């Protein structure tokens, strides 16, 4: 998928994204005029699931970034672990929140599940079980201000997509059924939100992803992130790209897609 957008696609995408951003009060965002722009930053981490190793290659400084909506994958993992621990399936109400949260990045649904998992302490307990070491939940209801690193996002993706790995990786914490559920929802993200790491694979190649975006209330600059699994020349890759400092949403998307392609190729 190319990072170049036709005028009509760009207008559609921009309209959808701005509508979504308007609902991101849970992430602590507003829409001031942008401040003087600093240079944007991006970090990518890549793991070839069909390669020999299980250590991701990190491109750039593996520092912490705000998650924005990519944290919704982590929230869903926490919800599923909570259900597993009591030997039950998700309720209809929980599925009614989980599915729009991932597929459409619905923030109201994320608010409900953030409360249900116990907010930041609940997320921390889940991440300990999944092997994440550098992720800190956002304060109060502001799940979008969770902080994470690209390598930690690969650990989370391994817990979802790499079921054959060892106990140490945390991948076995989620049952096969739970992993399949997360993968299914990430594969059903609405078309206007399938930018990001999907730019690495050929058009129509298998992909499952979750993106995140928010405009900071202090600077007006954008955090834009993308995580997921893509297939390139028969190899399945886990890819996480985190960025901040872009002056517009579209600039952030272009930065993420360019960084993802460079990291994989």
């Amino acid at each position: 998928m190319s990072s170049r957008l036709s005028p009509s696609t760009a207008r559609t995408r921009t309209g959808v994204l701005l509508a979504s951003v308007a609902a991101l009060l849970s992430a602590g965002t507003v829409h001031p005029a942008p401040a003087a722009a600093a240079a944007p930053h991006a970090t990518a981490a890549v793991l070839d699931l069909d390669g020999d190793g299980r250590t991701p290659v990190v491109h750039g400084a593996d520092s912490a970034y705000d998650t924005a909506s990519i944290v919704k994958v982590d929230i869903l993992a926490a919800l599923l672990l909570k259900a597993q621990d009591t030997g039950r399936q998700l309720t209809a109400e929980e599925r009614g929140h989980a599915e729009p949260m991932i597929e459409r990045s619905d923030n109201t649904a994320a608010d409900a599940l953030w409360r249900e998992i116990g907010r930041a302490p609940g997320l921390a307990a889940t991440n300990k079980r999944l092997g994440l070491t550098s992720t800190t939940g956002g304060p109060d209801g502001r799940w979008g201000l969770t902080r994470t690193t690209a390598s930690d996002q690969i650990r989370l993706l391994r817990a979802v997509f790499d079921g054959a790995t060892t106990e140490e990786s945390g991948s076995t914490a989620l049952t096969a059924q739970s992993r399949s559920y997360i993968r299914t929802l990430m594969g059903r993200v609405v078309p206007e939100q399938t930018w990001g790491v999907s730019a690495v694979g050929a058009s129509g190649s298998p992909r499952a992803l979750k993106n995140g975006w928010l405009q900071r209330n202090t600077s007006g600059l954008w955090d834009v992130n993308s995580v997921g699994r893509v297939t390139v020349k028969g190899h399945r890759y886990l890819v996480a790209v985190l960025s901040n400092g872009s002056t517009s949403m579209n600039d952030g998307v272009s930065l993420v897609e360019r960084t993802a392609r460079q990291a994989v190729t």
Side-chain angles (χ1 to χ4, degrees):
M1 173 175 145
S2 171
S3 61
R4 291 185 177 274
L5 305 177
S6 69
S8 61
T9 302
R11 286 193 297 271
T12 299
R13 177 172 293 175
T14 300
V16 171
L17 293 173
L18 289 179
S20 297
V21 170
L24 269 173
L25 292 177
S26 295
T29 64
V30 294
H31 299 278
H41 295 90
T43 301
V46 177
L47 176 64
D48 183 353
L49 288 177
D50 296 308
D52 295 330
R54 281 296 179 267
T55 300
V57 177
V58 178
H59 302 261
D62 197 23
S63 52
Y65 293 78
D66 297 314
T67 59
S69 285
I70 63 169
V71 75
K72 292 169 181 174
V73 176
D74 210 356
I75 293 172
L76 179 54
L79 179 70
L80 288 164
L81 282 176
K82 182 178 178 181
Q84 286 177 200
D85 289 346
T86 56
R88 65 173 180 84
Q89 304 294 315
L90 295 187
T91 66
E93 181 178 9
E94 288 168 337
R95 288 179 179 273
H97 291 312
E99 291 165 16
M101 179 179 73
I102 301 298
E103 295 172 7
R104 302 197 306 271
S105 206
D106 185 278
N107 296 316
T108 301
D111 290 342
L113 294 184
W114 180 247
R115 292 189 295 268
E116 183 168 345
I117 68 168
R119 300 190 178 192
L123 194 75
T126 289
N127 288 341
K128 183 176 181 180
R129 295 170 67 177
L130 297 180
L132 279 66
T133 60
S134 303
T135 298
T136 304
D140 302 319
R142 291 173 288 184
W143 42 261
L145 297 183
T146 296
R147 302 279 286 172
T148 194
T149 62
S151 59
D152 241 17
Q153 287 302 297
I154 294 295
R155 294 183 182 101
L156 177 59
L157 292 172
R158 284 188 68 189
V160 174
F161 291 99
D162 193 16
T165 55
T166 65
E167 185 74 32
E168 182 181 354
S169 75
S171 67
T172 55
L174 290 165
T175 65
Q177 183 179 30
S178 292
R179 295 195 302 270
S180 177
Y181 184 61
I182 300 173
R183 293 195 298 263
T184 296
L185 299 190
M186 291 177 71
R188 297 203 309 230
V189 168
V190 293
E192 58 268 27
Q193 294 180 20
T194 56
W195 46 266
V197 297
S198 60
V200 174
S203 178
S205 62
R207 54 104 184 109
L209 76 164
K210 182 71 192 79
N211 296 328
W213 58 94
L214 66 84
Q215 189 179 24
R216 298 313 306 268
N217 60 355
T218 53
S219 66
L221 301 177
W222 288 81
D223 299 332
V224 181
N225 307 317
S226 184
V227 299
R229 184 195 64 191
V230 297
T231 302
V232 181
K233 297 180 179 178
H235 276 237
R236 299 164 302 144
Y237 291 91
L238 301 181
V239 186
V241 182
L242 309 179
S243 79
N244 60 28
S246 291
T247 56
S248 71
M249 177 68 201
N250 282 340
D251 284 350
V253 171
S254 295
L255 173 62
V256 165
E257 293 185 338
R258 183 170 64 251
T259 301
R261 285 193 296 267
Q262 291 171 347
V264 172
T265 60

